[in-house]
Amino acid sequence: MKAGRAPTPEQRETEHRRWVTRAERVAELVDGHTRRTDGRDPAPPVAEAELLRQHGLLTLLTPAAHGGAGLTWRTALAAVRVLARADGRIGYLLGDHYVSNASIWLAGGPRVQSLLGRPSAERQWLWSDVVVPGAAPLDLTADGDGYRLSGTRLAPIGVATADMTVVAAADTGSAEPLLVGVPRESKGVTFTPEPESGVPRPDGINVRYDRVWIPSEHVVCSLDPDTATPRASLLGLAVQAVSGHLCLGIAEGAMRYCRGGGPGATPPGARALAGYGTWLAALDAAGELANRVAERLSDAAARPTLTWPERAELAARVSRLPILAADLATEVTFGLYETTSDWPASAQQGFDRFWRDARAYTAGMPLDKRRREVAQHFFTGAEPARTDLA
């Protein structure tokens, strides 16, 4: 969407639909794609990243003034959900990119936006993150007009494909937590595959930073809750919204796959049909919540005057989505997997990616924390965490 006069509602809806259609085209290219027969992602998602780049989806959220499409979170989250229906791996890759790239637009100042925003749009950079809430912070040691970044972190395997990574680390002098941008080709960055594990998970590579130079202009923002602004704190809510749409898309994709039945599959019996009906009703309800969350997040991100009470109310609403969607993704994909027991082995293996994705992408979600925050806000009005990026 070009910069200039504000678009009409009809124009916004047309543009939204056009970009969702782009995501659907990518989904068609990856749907049914054979992958991961051993429960793991063995290699960085280079092909998936190139598909996103070729179809222009990486610049969807970038403001038009900086060379992007200038769309909102409503469209970005819809694209994530569409792709997750086809393959959770590419849905996760796009969602992680949107959140990581959005850090400069929601939390960064004009300097970092100018330095990183336009080159990112022009060169179609893929973004990822190395942010692990609760883990010991990586070290940032002051060095001249910048820092040296050191430490090792287990990260999503997409980090090895990303052109730019945002990393959470702490200033060793002041202990202030900072979010910094690190180009993939920076000297001192190395990637090592995670040792084999029987548990599927999206974090599949060890990233080591050996005194990596971080110029001061690559400091995106402080993660100190005492200095955060309501707008910057939307970054954490975007993480939750992406997680919810990802989980919902995986569950919806599993239902669609089962509707196809798989080669030689028999129609489900009466008991299985009852389960399908229950899951469809639940997914419809969750889908309505997901749409409302996307609209409210879009509205909040467009408001420079957002207040902390408004942000707290939004946070309590947004947090409902990952709680519901994660539970549904686990329940639906496991229940459906049980119904595929009579399918041919090839069809069953094609389906198993859904329940493995559901397990992988819900494993690290702090769902109990989200449940407590939602309940506490309901009973006491307590404000959810301001700078929680999980």
Side-chain angles (χ1 to χ4, degrees):
M1 192 173 295
K2 295 181 180 180
R5 190 186 317 178
T8 66
E10 292 77 14
Q11 289 172 328
R12 284 197 295 268
E13 188 59 32
T14 298
E15 196 74 355
H16 168 79
R17 187 63 247 170
R18 186 168 73 87
W19 283 86
V20 171
T21 299
R22 285 195 186 192
E24 290 170 345
R25 290 187 188 126
V26 176
E28 290 172 359
L29 295 174
V30 300
D31 197 14
H33 176 66
T34 302
R35 67 174 178 90
R36 306 205 302 284
T37 57
D38 62 353
R40 295 187 53 79
D41 292 329
V46 176
E48 291 91 338
E50 190 55 32
L51 274 176
L52 297 175
R53 188 173 285 113
Q54 289 173 358
H55 287 78
L57 290 172
L58 299 182
T59 61
L60 186 153
L61 269 180
T62 303
H66 288 267
L71 274 293
T72 70
W73 279 102
R74 174 178 174 241
T75 307
L77 292 168
V80 170
R81 186 167 155 193
V82 163
L83 290 176
R85 289 171 188 156
D87 191 328
R89 178 175 164 102
I90 194 169
Y92 179 88
L93 188 70
L94 184 61
D96 185 39
H97 163 79
Y98 284 149
V99 170
S100 301
N101 178 249
S103 65
I104 65 174
W105 309 115
L106 290 175
R111 186 182 183 191
V112 74
Q113 290 174 1
S114 176
L115 180 70
L116 299 179
R118 183 164 290 279
S120 178
E122 290 176 349
R123 302 168 194 170
Q124 291 278 321
W125 285 352
L126 176 71
W127 290 60
S128 188
D129 78 271
V130 178
V131 179
V132 183
L138 299 178
D139 292 335
L140 278 173
T141 304
D143 184 2
D145 187 25
Y147 296 89
R148 293 288 178 178
L149 173 66
S150 300
T152 302
R153 182 71 77 237
L154 183 62
I157 198 165
V159 167
T161 307
D163 302 288
M164 179 67 69
T165 301
V166 287
V167 179
D171 186 323
T172 55
S174 65
E176 181 182 15
L178 300 172
L179 194 66
V180 300
V182 184
R184 182 181 59 195
E185 302 301 329
S186 296
K187 183 179 180 181
V189 181
T190 55
F191 303 99
T192 306
E194 179 194 7
E196 288 296 322
S197 163
V199 181
R201 53 195 302 175
D203 48 350
I205 198 160
N206 286 295
V207 188
R208 179 177 177 79
Y209 301 100
D210 186 9
R211 290 185 54 77
V212 176
W213 171 243
I214 307 295
S216 60
E217 55 266 28
H218 278 204
V219 176
V220 176
C221 65
S222 172
L223 295 176
D224 185 343
D226 293 332
T227 61
T229 66
R231 177 176 171 75
S233 74
L234 291 178
L235 191 60
L237 302 189
V239 173
Q240 294 184 47
V242 165
S243 297
H245 279 78
L246 175 70
C247 291
L248 185 57
I250 290 170
E252 291 171 337
M255 290 293 294
R256 294 183 180 196
Y257 190 91
C258 283
R259 183 171 59 188
T266 57
R271 183 176 179 182
L273 280 174
Y276 276 62
T278 299
W279 292 325
L280 284 168
L283 287 172
D284 280 350
E288 289 300 315
L289 174 60
N291 292 338
R292 291 199 302 274
V293 162
E295 290 171 357
R296 294 190 64 171
L297 181 60
S298 295
D299 291 342
R303 292 180 52 198
T305 58
L306 186 71
T307 67
W308 281 118
E310 290 169 339
R311 190 269 182 192
E313 179 65 27
L314 176 62
R317 298 293 175 182
V318 171
S319 293
R320 286 167 165 79
L321 178 60
I323 293 170
L324 179 60
D327 288 345
L328 265 179
T330 303
E331 177 186 347
V332 170
T333 56
F334 182 74
L336 291 176
Y337 187 63
E338 289 186 315
T339 72
T340 67
S341 58
D342 294 332
W343 289 14
S346 59
Q348 192 175 20
Q349 287 178 357
F351 175 83
D352 69 1
R353 72 181 188 272
F354 294 105
W355 70 264
R356 283 192 282 105
D357 281 345
R359 289 174 60 203
Y361 298 124
T362 59
M365 294 170 62
L367 297 176
D368 285 344
K369 181 178 181 179
R370 296 282 89 85
R371 293 184 182 105
R372 288 193 298 270
E373 287 183 344
V374 168
Q376 287 170 345
H377 183 269
F378 175 78
F379 283 109
T380 69
E383 182 180 357
R386 291 185 173 185
T387 57
D388 190 347
L389 297 183

